[in-house]
Amino acid sequence: MRLPFGVHPLAAIGLSDKLAAYGARVHRSIVLDKLAACRTVYSVEEMGIEVRVHSLFARAAVIVTTLVLCATLTIAALINAAAGVATDERVAANHELLAATIAYLPNSATLNARLAEAELGEDDRDISNIETLARRAVNVSPWDYRQRLLLATVYEAGGDRAAAEQSLLQALSLAPNYPEVHWRLANLLLREGKLAKSVVEFKAAASSNPRLLPGTLDLLWRVSAANLAPVKAVTPSDPKSQVLLAEFLLKQSRVPDAITVFGGIDRKALVSLPESTAFIDSLVSQNYVDEARGLWIGVVSGAYAQPGHPLPLIWNGSFESDSSKSLVQFDWAIARNEYAVPGIDDSTAHTGSRSLRIDFTGLDTTRLDGQIKQSVVLRPGARYRLEFYARTERLETPEGPRGVVSEGSSMEIVRSDPIPGGTAGWRSMAIDFTAPATARAVVIAIKRVPRFSYDNPTSGTIWLDDFVLTEQAK
């Protein structure tokens, strides 16, 4: 008997009573039998219908359905877990796991790609099967450039470089800004003997990822038999890349080319690059001291030697310019110790507006050795005169500081007379010397080295200014 929607079970009992009243016992018997067999309870609660099934067969059906559903979900979870492990790039590819998982997920691009990569590394690999896997990965995920990179690898492993190039070009169209794609294409073009085209792709890769540039320069240098043109063409135009090119050429003993590249870089950019310091240090270490100093002065000041107007042999001898914090190779090195505090004084000068001031602290056995110095470049064997001016105020000392010229840091060539004590205005100091025949550079310093293990303290103040070094005619 069908009950209308919303009829309460009690209404069903009332309906059977009405049938009995009219004498329809047969109908009542049928209704009661059906109600007893089905025992279906209908209730309306907030416009919803609750159905309780008490039949043993129905219960069994529900249990079986639930078990099947749970098993299905469990299997799906296990497959997904296996797929997750198989496709995790942090985990080494396992051929057996990949093959077992791909049987359940044949349309997974990642699984096909990982299986292809795994089989590529095997000794008895089947290129045809690997190509099928790679192609399937591309077909499933046509917009993923990585699958086309893989397919290019498979093509080249099979000896079809033309197809590999085409696949890489397709990957490039999908990911034009990815340096990896340019790098892969550049290397393939180079293996195909297409040097000019490879340079374009190498440059694009190095422009996006500067860490690729050193390896690129080395590769092209070897492939082109030390041809300068490809390495210059592949190097991006930014200052840091150009300095790297200059350093590379210096390592290849192409010093003039390295200097030319370095000299063409914007000097304001060079000042802030730590690579600039490294390049100049490399020149000095290879005994290109004169060239290093010329570049150094050009970077820190913008001044370059001109015909008839050579650069001064002592840089910033009047202390009018501020020292560079990073490029210090040929500048004054000024440091303090426990005996003396040197610094720039902008209130007293022999000429200009500034001078070097040294305040002595008055400690016993005063030593000044290496705190004030500058490296200068000379012609070996030439005669020179060093001149400077000194002023003193209440200088009390057993023996005043001297101007000293040394080869290196310790081999003394000549020294001036000591600066007299007391208080005095500016006075000229001068020393003559011959540059060593084996030296390209010397060190000019202000020193006070005690004669004995103990002497009386030095106190007071000295000002120094207008250091000039000139070559003398023989």
Side-chain angles (χ1 to χ4, degrees):
M1 175 179 180
R2 288 188 180 179
L3 296 180
F5 178 80
V7 176
H8 195 275
L10 293 178
I13 297 174
L15 178 61
S16 64
D17 291 341
K18 289 180 181 180
L19 292 174
Y22 284 103
R25 294 183 179 274
V26 176
H27 293 284
R28 178 177 181 276
S29 177
I30 294 175
V31 170
L32 291 177
D33 289 343
K34 289 185 177 180
L35 287 175
C38 296
R39 300 190 65 184
T40 303
V41 181
Y42 296 87
S43 65
V44 177
E45 184 177 346
E46 297 181 358
M47 298 302 293
I49 299 176
E50 178 183 356
V51 179
R52 297 176 182 174
V53 180
H54 297 283
S55 168
L56 184 60
F57 176 78
R59 286 184 179 182
V62 170
I63 292 173
V64 171
T65 302
T66 304
L67 291 175
V68 171
L69 179 60
C70 290
T72 303
L73 291 175
T74 302
I75 293 172
L78 291 174
I79 293 174
N80 286 333
V85 173
T87 57
D88 190 344
E89 294 183 356
R90 298 170 297 179
V91 180
N94 183 293
H95 184 278
E96 289 74 16
L97 177 60
L98 287 167
T101 307
I102 207 171
Y104 294 94
L105 298 172
N107 292 324
S108 169
T110 306
L111 281 174
N112 280 279
R114 287 278 281 173
L115 183 56
E117 290 172 349
E119 293 189 1
L120 268 175
E122 296 179 352
D123 295 333
D124 57 344
R125 63 190 182 187
D126 182 348
I127 290 297
S128 177
N129 183 59
I130 297 172
E131 183 179 332
T132 299
L133 292 169
R135 282 180 171 276
R136 188 183 300 159
V138 169
N139 293 334
V140 172
S141 186
W143 307 113
D144 190 342
Y145 76 96
R146 295 171 299 178
Q147 315 305 348
R148 298 184 185 274
L149 291 182
L150 172 61
L151 185 58
T153 302
V154 175
Y155 280 142
E156 189 170 9
D160 192 348
R161 286 182 174 173
E165 181 181 342
Q166 186 61 34
S167 186
L168 288 173
L169 289 172
Q170 292 170 349
L172 185 61
S173 67
L174 295 173
N177 298 320
Y178 279 56
E180 178 191 4
V181 183
H182 290 283
W183 178 259
R184 289 282 304 276
L185 179 57
N187 278 275
L188 177 64
L189 291 170
L190 195 62
R191 288 191 290 271
E192 290 183 296
K194 301 176 181 179
L195 177 61
K197 288 185 177 181
S198 73
V199 166
V200 176
E201 300 303 328
F202 274 125
K203 185 173 183 178
S207 297
S208 300
N209 185 357
R211 290 178 296 179
L212 295 173
L213 182 58
T216 300
L217 294 175
D218 183 68
L219 176 61
L220 291 180
W221 188 258
R222 288 186 286 106
V223 171
S224 66
N227 187 348
L228 182 61
V231 296
K232 290 183 68 175
V234 81
T235 306
S237 59
D238 63 281
K240 186 172 183 177
S241 297
Q242 290 293 311
V243 173
L244 289 176
L245 173 60
E247 289 180 335
F248 174 80
L249 293 173
L250 191 59
K251 291 177 182 178
Q252 309 307 320
S253 300
R254 298 287 287 266
V255 179
D257 294 323
I259 292 174
T260 299
V261 171
F262 188 88
I265 304 170
D266 178 65
R267 77 173 191 85
K268 292 182 179 179
L270 289 174
V271 170
S272 61
L273 287 176
E275 292 83 0
S276 301
T277 298
F279 180 79
I280 292 174
D281 286 341
S282 296
L283 281 175
V284 173
S285 67
Q286 296 186 36
N287 207 30
Y288 292 94
V289 184
D290 200 7
E291 294 83 351
R293 186 174 187 270
L295 289 176
W296 180 87
I297 292 178
V299 172
V300 299
S301 70
Y304 295 91
Q306 302 292 334
H309 297 85
L311 296 171
L313 295 178
I314 292 183
W315 177 251
N316 197 22
S318 60
F319 305 97
E320 299 297 316
S321 301
D322 293 328
S323 297
S324 171
K325 294 182 179 180
S326 56
L327 292 161
V328 299
Q329 290 89 341
F330 298 97
D331 207 344
W332 287 106
I334 300 174
R336 62 181 296 169
N337 63 11
E338 58 183 323
Y339 305 106
V341 181
I344 304 300
D345 189 342
D346 57 6
S347 63
T348 302
H350 176 252
T351 62
S353 61
R354 306 206 300 185
S355 63
L356 176 65
R357 173 174 174 161
I358 306 173
D359 291 310
F360 292 94
T361 61
L363 293 180
D364 293 340
T365 318
T366 300
R367 175 178 289 272
L368 192 64
D369 187 8
Q371 282 70 45
I372 303 169
K373 61 183 179 180
Q374 181 181 138
S375 295
V376 298
V377 178
L378 304 178
R379 284 196 313 112
R383 291 282 301 168
Y384 290 93
R385 166 166 285 193
L386 172 65
E387 298 176 280
F388 61 96
Y389 288 82
R391 176 189 169 187
T392 59
E393 183 176 291
R394 292 180 290 183
L395 179 64
E396 296 182 10
T397 177
E399 182 177 278
R402 303 169 182 263
V404 178
V405 179
S406 303
E407 182 180 356
S409 58
S410 59
M411 190 179 299
E412 189 173 297
I413 299 172
V414 66
R415 62 170 61 182
S416 72
D417 294 331
I419 298 173
T423 298
W426 293 102
R427 71 185 77 188
S428 176
M429 310 284 293
I431 48 177
D432 296 310
F433 67 96
T434 300
T438 58
R440 294 287 306 277
V442 297
V443 176
I444 293 176
I446 302 298
K447 292 187 178 183
R448 185 192 186 277
V449 180
R451 293 186 179 182
F452 309 104
S453 59
Y454 171 85
D455 69 1
N456 291 326
T458 296
S459 62
T461 303
I462 294 176
W463 287 267
L464 301 169
D465 202 1
D466 291 337
F467 284 78
V468 176
L469 182 65
T470 54
E471 184 176 344
Q472 305 294 299
K474 291 187 177 180

